[in-house]
Amino acid sequence: MPYTGYGSQEEKELLRSIGVERFEDLVTALPESLRLKGPVDVPPGQTELELRRLFNEAALANYDPNLTPSFLGGGLYDHDIPAVVQHMQLRSEFYTAYTPYQPEVAQGTLMTIFEFQSMVCDLTGLDVANASMYDAGSAAAEAALLAAAATGRDRILVAGTLHPHHREILKTYGLPPGLRFVDVGGEEPLRPADLAPHIDGETAALVLQQPNFFGSIESIGPLAEAVHAKGALLIVEADPVALALLAPPGELGADIVVGEGQSLGSPPSYGGPACGLFACTRALIRRLPGRLVAETVDRDGRRGFVLTLQTREQHIRREKATSNICTNNNLVALAFTITLAMLGPAGLKEMASLSLQKAHYLERALAAIPGVKRSPGGPFFREFALTLPRPAGEVIDAIYRDARILAGIDLGRLVPGGSNRLLVAVTEKRTRQEMDLFASALERSLA
């Protein structure tokens, strides 16, 4: 294969084959201000050293999480990562793009996946977990497909407090098999009474998030009872750090628990890579998407690990496949596993407790500023939404210019009518000085 670039004629043929005339037609989803309008401004005749220096200087314009306090959340969080995580992750035994699904995969890799699955089961309170998925959104969508197949029904109730992006992923995945999605409840934590007008004998499952997108705590037990009374399943998208303090959803009646593993061992990194968690009851194990590693013994009684279930189209008849996801996010899952092994139950609980305490400290400071109020209210863990007297986007920009702080997410980008609302997340990494600086900067921006 010649490793040369495409010529202009070949590029035209490629674009034509996918139904567009110009390259620019492919990137219309990107904001106009972010598109490169011409060649990169690089002086001619530069040496490698000069080029490296030029691009390093340009990279300094990027946000550096080690220098700029971040209060961004919305599904990806800036938690501390022990130094040993990257050291272990980059060892040659693990550091590969290879998808570990073949029978000859090394015992060490299988053992780390087995440990990952065991930790996910411990956190979620469910019987079995797979070897990870792309991210929380795709895991939630696979859970909806599983629920529909297991119940023989096609209606999926979706809590109004589910992450807006994950709601879109659900609908995208559910379109080909003809699933019907019904939004229930608003921004307040969901109640059984919210389900009553919508749940019936055609309902396959309810999908909710714990803590929900606005940071509030959902009451899972009563919702599980209401869902099971109609023969449907309960799918909970849970945060693994919060589960150090909250009851495992499986113990409260959830049939499937999914989640995002990025916050344990991986940086937010502009939105990825991520690692989807997926656990379910033993009754649903034959419908589990992805792959499953199990523990066994060989003929001499020695402990070993084997790939046990792979319900995917490469291994069984295509029409019997339960998932089109062909890989697990092994390196991110490995980081998750190493981080949890380093922290242990006590360390994870300390991380979660510090995040909880600091989030409540900052929420009190910000809500005391004239014109600022928290909405929705109620108990919360690490994240909370504020309503401001000015557009959140303007406030975020003003705080960054004033104090070099990333103040949070402008909910106007995600929630209808949310232009004056700010979503703030606080992890154990944030110091009291940073939080006080944030409060002062917000007050000045609203003065």
Side-chain angles (χ1 to χ4, degrees):
M1 176 184 291
Y3 290 95
T4 55
Y6 292 118
S8 59
Q9 184 57 36
E10 292 168 308
E11 181 176 315
K12 287 180 181 176
E13 293 175 5
L14 283 168
L15 292 171
R16 194 177 305 117
S17 68
I18 57 177
V20 295
E21 292 296 323
R22 308 174 305 152
F23 171 77
E24 289 72 16
D25 297 334
L26 285 176
V27 294
T28 53
L30 297 175
E32 181 72 26
S33 61
L34 299 180
R35 296 182 208 165
L36 194 63
K37 303 298 189 303
V40 178
D41 185 18
V42 177
Q46 298 287 292
T47 66
E48 179 182 336
L49 175 62
E50 290 168 331
L51 281 175
R52 194 182 302 131
R53 184 177 295 133
L54 179 70
F55 283 104
N56 284 339
E57 289 173 356
L60 293 177
N62 287 332
Y63 149 67
D64 183 346
N66 295 313
L67 302 174
T68 307
S70 171
F71 294 88
L72 294 170
L76 300 177
Y77 299 94
D78 182 30
H79 282 286
D80 184 43
I81 302 174
V84 70
V85 174
Q86 188 177 47
H87 172 75
M88 295 297 294
Q89 193 180 19
L90 296 182
R91 286 183 63 95
S92 58
E93 300 95 317
F94 298 120
Y95 197 63
T96 171
Y98 177 67
T99 304
Y101 60 77
Q102 304 291 3
E104 68 272 20
V105 69
Q107 281 291 296
T109 299
L110 290 173
M111 182 175 180
T112 61
I113 295 176
F114 181 79
E115 296 292 345
F116 169 83
Q117 295 172 176
S118 302
M119 291 173 178
V120 173
C121 287
D122 285 344
L123 285 171
T124 60
L126 285 172
D127 304 319
V128 59
N130 72 8
S132 82
M133 309 193 83
Y134 294 149
D135 51 28
S138 58
E142 290 283 349
L145 295 177
L146 187 159
T151 61
R153 303 173 178 182
D154 63 358
R155 290 181 82 240
I156 307 291
L157 305 186
V158 183
T161 50
L162 186 72
H163 194 302
H165 287 168
H166 299 178
R167 187 191 313 279
E168 293 302 313
I169 295 172
L170 278 173
K171 293 176 180 175
T172 302
Y173 269 67
L175 184 63
L179 298 189
R180 296 176 291 157
F181 294 93
V182 180
D183 294 335
V184 294
E187 294 186 0
E188 296 289 342
L190 200 63
R191 303 165 304 163
D194 298 323
L195 303 180
H198 307 285
I199 193 165
D200 56 24
E202 296 181 351
T203 303
L206 165 68
V207 185
L208 61 86
Q209 188 173 346
Q210 177 73 315
N212 66 38
F213 175 66
F214 301 99
S216 302
I217 305 297
E218 298 277 2
S219 183
I220 293 177
L223 294 168
E225 292 179 10
V227 168
H228 292 157
K230 294 291 185 180
L233 303 181
L234 178 62
I235 301 168
V236 176
E237 181 181 320
D239 180 278
V241 178
L243 292 181
L245 300 178
L246 301 174
E251 294 181 4
L252 300 174
D255 303 282
I256 305 170
V257 177
V258 298
E260 177 52 65
Q262 168 277 326
S263 56
L264 289 168
S266 299
S269 191
Y270 299 99
C275 173
L277 315 179
F278 196 110
C280 64
T281 61
R282 184 175 295 275
L284 300 171
I285 188 172
R286 290 284 174 182
R287 299 185 183 277
L288 189 74
R291 59 186 58 84
L292 177 65
V293 173
E295 184 181 26
T296 187
V297 292
D298 65 12
R299 68 175 63 180
D300 299 319
R302 294 175 299 188
R303 186 189 189 208
F305 301 90
V306 291
L307 281 169
T308 304
L309 293 177
Q310 300 179 77
T311 53
R312 47 201 289 272
E313 71 277 11
Q314 289 183 356
H315 298 92
I316 60 177
R317 287 183 298 170
R318 183 174 295 272
E319 65 274 17
K320 296 291 185 183
T322 58
S323 171
N324 286 319
I325 287 186
C326 297
T327 184
N328 74 307
N329 281 10
N330 204 51
L331 274 177
V332 189
L334 175 67
F336 178 95
T337 308
I338 297 170
T339 303
L340 277 181
M342 287 296 300
L343 292 173
L348 182 63
K349 189 170 184 178
E350 181 179 359
M351 173 190 281
S353 298
L354 287 171
S355 300
L356 171 75
Q357 294 165 20
K358 292 185 177 186
H360 281 252
Y361 173 83
L362 182 60
E363 186 267 347
R364 287 192 295 272
L366 299 183
I369 297 171
V372 177
K373 68 175 184 178
R374 188 167 155 248
S375 173
F380 66 98
F381 167 58
R382 173 186 49 196
E383 198 162 18
F384 54 89
L386 298 173
T387 299
L388 309 175
R390 287 181 54 195
E394 295 178 8
V395 172
I396 290 170
D397 291 344
I399 291 176
Y400 190 77
R401 288 194 302 269
D402 178 13
R404 297 285 291 181
I405 285 176
L406 292 171
I409 294 177
D410 174 8
L411 284 179
R413 299 166 52 197
L414 300 168
V415 178
S419 61
N420 279 31
R421 301 178 65 195
L422 180 67
L423 188 65
V424 179
V426 188
T427 70
E428 82 286 354
K429 288 179 66 175
R430 302 284 68 86
T431 66
R432 181 166 182 166
Q433 181 183 20
E434 291 169 345
M435 292 188 286
D436 291 343
L437 187 62
F438 180 13
S440 300
L442 177 61
E443 190 164 15
R444 286 194 296 274
S445 74
L446 299 177

